[in-house]
Amino acid sequence: MSATVQTGYFFMPEHIILVGASERPHSLGERIFSHLLGSSYQGKITPVNLRHSSVAGIPSYSSLSKIPGQADLVVAVIPPDHYDSLFKACRKKDLRHIILIQDWENLPPESCKNARSIIQKYHGDELN
């Protein structure tokens, strides 16, 4: 087994799926999406939005299962109560690298506890 860790999926992904992409001004999904579009990133960005067929003029999908092909990285800016379905969808599509972006400090303690439980369910005891 090699000691080299493959980090390209994080530092140089060719395809990013942004779950929770939005055009709603000042929302986390809008800010992340706008920053990705305005950056020097040259790869593919696929937005996922339940309510809109496009976000910022880019075709959007209502779920991960509808996206053709694979991606290197999933970035999710969704409420923690949707993590379970996100992880199931990622597992089904064999999407292994997920970044969860959340305003943790402003979530109720119970939401944080539930989110941690769901994350541990899929990620094992590595969070301890």
Side-chain angles (χ1 to χ4, degrees), residues 2 6 8 10 17 19-20 23 27-28 35 42 58 66 74 77 80 82-83 96 99-101 106 111 126:
S2 172
Q6 297 291 328
F10 181 73
I17 296 173
V19 179
E23 291 180 332
S27 68
L28 193 53
H35 280 86
Q42 297 296 307
I58 297 176
K66 295 183 179 184
V74 174
V77 291
H82 296 285
Y83 288 174
R96 299 175 181 211
I99 296 174
L100 301 172
I101 300 176
N106 290 315
S111 291
E126 296 177 29

Side-chain angles (χ1 to χ4, degrees), residues 44-66:
K44 181 178 180 180
I45 303 168
T46 301
V48 173
N49 183 296
L50 292 174
R51 295 178 190 93
H52 301 285
S53 60
S54 71
V55 179
I58 297 176
S60 176
Y61 295 86
S62 60
S63 70
L64 287 174
S65 65
K66 295 183 179 184

Side-chain angles (χ1 to χ4, degrees), residues 70-88:
Q70 285 297 102
D72 302 302
L73 182 63
V74 174
V75 177
V77 291
I78 58 175
D81 56 337
H82 296 285
Y83 288 174
D84 193 53
S85 59
L86 171 71
F87 293 151
K88 285 178 183 175

Side-chain angles (χ1 to χ4, degrees), residues 6-18 41-46 64 67-75 90 93-99:
Q6 297 291 328
T7 56
Y9 65 87
F10 181 73
F11 292 108
M12 296 177 290
E14 293 180 20
H15 182 189
I16 298 171
I17 296 173
L18 178 60
Y41 176 67
Q42 297 296 307
K44 181 178 180 180
I45 303 168
T46 301
L64 287 174
I67 298 172
Q70 285 297 102
D72 302 302
L73 182 63
V74 174
V75 177
C90 286
K93 271 194 74 77
D94 198 29
L95 299 169
R96 299 175 181 211
H97 309 291
I98 307 166
I99 296 174

